[in-house]
PDB file of all heavy atoms in Angstrom:
ATOM      1  N   TRP A  99       3.947  13.204 -12.328  1.00  0.00           N
ATOM      2  CA  TRP A  99       4.090  13.099 -10.894  1.00  0.00           C
ATOM      3  C   TRP A  99       2.833  13.708 -10.298  1.00  0.00           C
ATOM      4  O   TRP A  99       2.845  14.810  -9.771  1.00  0.00           O
ATOM      5  CB  TRP A  99       5.348  13.835 -10.419  1.00  0.00           C
ATOM      6  CG  TRP A  99       6.591  13.109 -10.853  1.00  0.00           C
ATOM      7  CD1 TRP A  99       7.143  11.996 -10.273  1.00  0.00           C
ATOM      8  CD2 TRP A  99       7.431  13.398 -11.959  1.00  0.00           C
ATOM      9  NE1 TRP A  99       8.270  11.591 -10.961  1.00  0.00           N
ATOM     10  CE2 TRP A  99       8.462  12.439 -12.006  1.00  0.00           C
ATOM     11  CE3 TRP A  99       7.376  14.396 -12.969  1.00  0.00           C
ATOM     12  CZ2 TRP A  99       9.450  12.429 -12.995  1.00  0.00           C
ATOM     13  CZ3 TRP A  99       8.376  14.369 -13.942  1.00  0.00           C
ATOM     14  CH2 TRP A  99       9.400  13.387 -13.926  1.00  0.00           C
ATOM     15  N   HIS A 124       4.557   3.703  -7.649  1.00  0.00           N
ATOM     16  CA  HIS A 124       4.351   4.839  -6.774  1.00  0.00           C
ATOM     17  C   HIS A 124       3.876   4.289  -5.435  1.00  0.00           C
ATOM     18  O   HIS A 124       3.528   3.115  -5.324  1.00  0.00           O
ATOM     19  CB  HIS A 124       3.305   5.797  -7.359  1.00  0.00           C
ATOM     20  CG  HIS A 124       3.713   6.395  -8.671  1.00  0.00           C
ATOM     21  ND1 HIS A 124       4.552   7.470  -8.773  1.00  0.00           N
ATOM     22  CD2 HIS A 124       3.409   6.033  -9.943  1.00  0.00           C
ATOM     23  CE1 HIS A 124       4.749   7.767 -10.054  1.00  0.00           C
ATOM     24  NE2 HIS A 124       4.064   6.909 -10.790  1.00  0.00           N
ATOM     25  N   CYS A 159       3.067  10.619  -2.308  1.00  0.00           N
ATOM     26  CA  CYS A 159       3.782   9.485  -2.907  1.00  0.00           C
ATOM     27  C   CYS A 159       4.981   9.149  -2.032  1.00  0.00           C
ATOM     28  O   CYS A 159       5.817  10.000  -1.760  1.00  0.00           O
ATOM     29  CB  CYS A 159       4.240   9.811  -4.319  1.00  0.00           C
ATOM     30  SG  CYS A 159       5.078   8.419  -5.110  1.00  0.00           S
ATOM     31  N   GLU A 161       7.030   6.417  -2.652  1.00  0.00           N
ATOM     32  CA  GLU A 161       7.941   5.521  -3.373  1.00  0.00           C
ATOM     33  C   GLU A 161       8.692   6.405  -4.355  1.00  0.00           C
ATOM     34  O   GLU A 161       8.050   7.085  -5.177  1.00  0.00           O
ATOM     35  CB  GLU A 161       7.100   4.474  -4.122  1.00  0.00           C
ATOM     36  CG  GLU A 161       7.895   3.378  -4.771  1.00  0.00           C
ATOM     37  CD  GLU A 161       8.334   2.324  -3.765  1.00  0.00           C
ATOM     38  OE1 GLU A 161       7.478   1.809  -3.038  1.00  0.00           O
ATOM     39  OE2 GLU A 161       9.541   2.048  -3.733  1.00  0.00           O
ATOM     40  N   PHE A 162      10.022   6.411  -4.264  1.00  0.00           N
ATOM     41  CA  PHE A 162      10.756   7.334  -5.131  1.00  0.00           C
ATOM     42  C   PHE A 162      10.474   7.016  -6.598  1.00  0.00           C
ATOM     43  O   PHE A 162      10.619   5.883  -7.041  1.00  0.00           O
ATOM     44  CB  PHE A 162      12.261   7.264  -4.872  1.00  0.00           C
ATOM     45  CG  PHE A 162      12.998   8.258  -5.712  1.00  0.00           C
ATOM     46  CD1 PHE A 162      12.909   9.607  -5.432  1.00  0.00           C
ATOM     47  CD2 PHE A 162      13.727   7.854  -6.824  1.00  0.00           C
ATOM     48  CE1 PHE A 162      13.551  10.538  -6.230  1.00  0.00           C
ATOM     49  CE2 PHE A 162      14.375   8.773  -7.627  1.00  0.00           C
ATOM     50  CZ  PHE A 162      14.283  10.121  -7.324  1.00  0.00           C
ATOM     51  N   CYS A 163      10.039   8.046  -7.344  1.00  0.00           N
ATOM     52  CA  CYS A 163       9.581   7.799  -8.715  1.00  0.00           C
ATOM     53  C   CYS A 163      10.145   8.819  -9.694  1.00  0.00           C
ATOM     54  O   CYS A 163       9.564   9.051 -10.742  1.00  0.00           O
ATOM     55  CB  CYS A 163       8.055   7.785  -8.757  1.00  0.00           C
ATOM     56  SG  CYS A 163       7.305   9.303  -8.134  1.00  0.00           S
ATOM     57  N   HIS A 167       9.188  13.417  -7.793  1.00  0.00           N
ATOM     58  CA  HIS A 167       8.607  12.609  -6.709  1.00  0.00           C
ATOM     59  C   HIS A 167       8.075  13.452  -5.555  1.00  0.00           C
ATOM     60  O   HIS A 167       6.970  13.230  -5.062  1.00  0.00           O
ATOM     61  CB  HIS A 167       9.678  11.638  -6.220  1.00  0.00           C
ATOM     62  CG  HIS A 167       9.411  11.006  -4.903  1.00  0.00           C
ATOM     63  ND1 HIS A 167       8.374  10.114  -4.728  1.00  0.00           N
ATOM     64  CD2 HIS A 167      10.024  11.132  -3.699  1.00  0.00           C
ATOM     65  CE1 HIS A 167       8.384   9.726  -3.451  1.00  0.00           C
ATOM     66  NE2 HIS A 167       9.354  10.325  -2.833  1.00  0.00           N
ATOM     67  N   MET A 170       4.643  15.050  -5.890  1.00  0.00           N
ATOM     68  CA  MET A 170       3.501  14.175  -6.200  1.00  0.00           C
ATOM     69  C   MET A 170       2.571  14.062  -4.999  1.00  0.00           C
ATOM     70  O   MET A 170       2.662  13.134  -4.211  1.00  0.00           O
ATOM     71  CB  MET A 170       4.031  12.801  -6.625  1.00  0.00           C
ATOM     72  CG  MET A 170       2.967  11.912  -7.192  1.00  0.00           C
ATOM     73  SD  MET A 170       3.697  10.474  -7.964  1.00  0.00           S
ATOM     74  CE  MET A 170       2.217   9.463  -8.077  1.00  0.00           C
TER      75      MET A 170
HETATM   76 CU1  CUA B   1       5.254   8.892  -7.338  1.00  0.00          CU
HETATM   77 CU2  CUA B   1       7.096   9.143  -5.895  1.00  0.00          CU
END
Side-chain angles (χ1 to χ4, degrees):
W99 290 281
H124 298 279
C159 182
E161 187 79 53
F162 183 72
C163 57
H167 164 67
M170 190 169 164

